Each structure stands twice: as C-alpha cells, then as structure tokens.
C-alpha cells in the first residue's frame, strides 16, 4: 500500500485527462463540459503500479458532478480498499471524505459536490503489484434549474416614525443572474416592484445583499 506523505497543489491542468500519479496535487477546470477523467492508464490500458496523485476538479459554474461509467480497482480481502483506492472528497481539500472506493466498496453511480466552491477532490493511490482496468468518469458541470441557490433570507421591521423593513439575503451561487427585484404588497395579493439589486452574473462565491 502506498503511503501519502504530502501533496502540494501545483499546475493547473486542461483538456481530457488521465489521472496524474507523480506524487503531486493538481487542479483541473475542464475547458468543455461534459469531459472525461481516466485512471493513469488512459482509456485502453490498465492503471500502473505504485502510483499516487491528487486532483481537485472545479466547475465553470455551479458544481462538479461525476458519473462513473466504468470502475475496476483491486480489492483487499481483509482491509477494505487497502491495496488500490480512489478517495473522493467534497470541496477543495482533503477535509470531507465522501468515500474510499475499490471493487469491494464501489462508488455510487453519481457524486455531486455540495461544497460552496463546487469542487470535488480526489486521491488515486495504487500499490506495487496487480493492476486492473481502472476507471472512466464523466465530469460535468451541474447546477440547479433555478439561477440562484438561496442560503438565507430575513425581513425585519425597523422601529421609527416611518417604519421600514430591512431585507437581508445570501446566495451561494448565481447563473446568468442580471438582477433581483424587490416587490412590495399591502395585502399579500398584489405586489409592486420597488427596486432592483444588481446580480453577479455567473458566480460560485457566496454573496450577501441588503435592502432597506
């Protein structure tokens, strides 16, 4: 079993990709979606022995969603995935492990990032003997059918001679979002627009807004 000593984020990668196993930690934002991630053996060969690498995949917008089209990674009979393993983490680092996968513990068909960055991070580790078919993974850019992901919203009255309402809301991401419209009603049936707030277009950065 290969021991992970340290992985340091290095070069940005582009294009269709074979998983790098040179001991470094890379980032990859595919130039087109969907794209394909193969093990280090590529689409036609078994993966190699004694490999280790890290890879963080970023979306163009929204969240990374991966679909396992083919998966064949050596099992270890006594320690689950103790020989060869693909580790998948939610986000940009190795904090939140989603799963450690091999033939005795195969991955789900689809994994989607829930991290604010929209990223998924992988470690691919192989031992010094026995190789198998590896994996073929479709990498796609997933986002909700709604143009924003709203994470909080509050509307609180302000005391005063002319009472006002302070509106605060936060969104985790935005897709082609031009602006927000604030509406006002006195009867909860008919609403009139009172202002617009510029949106951020396309963004994976959490953004807060306020209006009084």
């Amino acid at each position: 079993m290969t021991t992970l000593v340290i992985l340091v984020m290095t070069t940005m990668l582009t294009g269709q990709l074979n998983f790098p196993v040179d001991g470094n930690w890379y980032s990859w934002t595919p130039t087109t979606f969907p794209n394909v991630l193969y093990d280090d053996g590529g689409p036609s060969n078994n993966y190699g022995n004694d490999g280790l690498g890290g890879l963080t995949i970023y979306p163009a917008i929204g969240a990374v969603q991966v679909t396992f089209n083919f998966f064949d990674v050596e099992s270890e009979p006594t320690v689950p995935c103790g020989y060869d393993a693909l580790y998948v983490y939610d986000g940009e680092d190795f904090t939140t492990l989603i799963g450690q996968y091999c033939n005795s513990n195969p991955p789900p068909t689809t994994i989607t990032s829930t991290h604010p960055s929209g990223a998924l991070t992988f470690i691919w580790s192989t031992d010094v003997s026995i190789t198998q078919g590896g994996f073929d993974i479709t990498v796609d850019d997933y986002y909700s059918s709604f143009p924003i992901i709203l994470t909080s919203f509050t509307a609180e009255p302000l005391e005063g001679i002319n009472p006002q309402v302070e509106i605060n809301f936060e969104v985790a991401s935005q897709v082609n979002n031009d602006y927000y419209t604030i509406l006002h009603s006195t009867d909860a049936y008919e609403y009139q627009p009172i202002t617009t707030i510029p949106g951020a277009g396309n963004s994976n950065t959490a953004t807060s807004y306020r209006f009084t």
Side-chain angles (χ1 to χ4, degrees):
M1 179 179 178
T2 303
T3 300
L4 176 64
V5 178
I6 187 170
L7 293 171
V8 179
M9 182 70 82
T10 54
T11 310
M12 295 284 290
L13 302 173
T14 59
Q16 183 175 293
L17 188 65
N18 294 353
F19 205 109
V21 287
D22 58 2
N24 289 312
W25 175 17
Y26 293 87
S27 67
W28 180 39
T29 304
T31 53
T32 59
F33 290 92
N35 215 301
V36 181
L37 173 65
Y38 296 107
D39 62 87
D40 53 287
S44 303
N45 301 309
N46 285 3
Y47 56 81
N49 287 320
D50 200 22
L52 176 65
L55 178 67
T56 297
I57 305 177
Y58 288 94
I61 188 66
V64 170
Q65 182 177 79
V66 296
T67 301
F68 288 83
N69 307 308
F70 173 80
F71 190 83
D72 180 22
V73 173
E74 181 191 10
S75 300
E76 203 279 319
T78 58
V79 179
C81 304
Y83 290 153
D84 303 337
L86 179 68
Y87 302 76
V88 183
Y89 299 83
D90 195 20
E92 303 174 279
D93 55 29
F94 308 119
T95 301
T96 305
L97 179 66
I98 296 174
Q100 176 182 348
Y101 303 116
C102 63
N103 283 351
S104 59
N105 184 42
T109 301
T110 300
I111 298 174
T112 305
S113 173
T114 61
H115 191 267
S117 68
L120 289 174
T121 295
F122 301 78
I123 292 178
W124 172 226
S125 175
T126 61
D127 65 7
V128 296
S129 66
I130 304 178
T131 64
Q132 295 181 198
F135 48 81
D136 171 336
I137 302 172
T138 296
V139 179
D140 212 344
D141 203 0
Y142 170 85
Y143 49 86
S144 166
S145 57
F146 294 103
I148 67 166
I149 297 178
L150 182 69
T151 54
S152 68
F153 181 93
T154 61
E156 299 289 342
L158 300 177
E159 294 182 2
I161 298 175
N162 295 309
Q164 295 178 309
V165 174
E166 181 178 273
I167 298 171
N168 291 276
F169 62 98
E170 182 176 279
V171 298
S173 65
Q174 305 177 57
V175 178
N176 296 327
N177 183 31
D178 189 12
Y179 59 87
Y180 303 90
T181 301
I182 305 297
L183 305 176
H184 175 263
S185 175
T186 57
D187 57 12
Y189 288 99
E190 294 185 4
Y191 290 83
Q192 298 296 325
I194 57 175
T195 192
T196 59
I197 301 174
N202 293 313
S203 173
N204 267 342
T205 301
T207 306
S208 296
Y209 298 90
R210 188 173 95 174
F211 174 77
T212 303

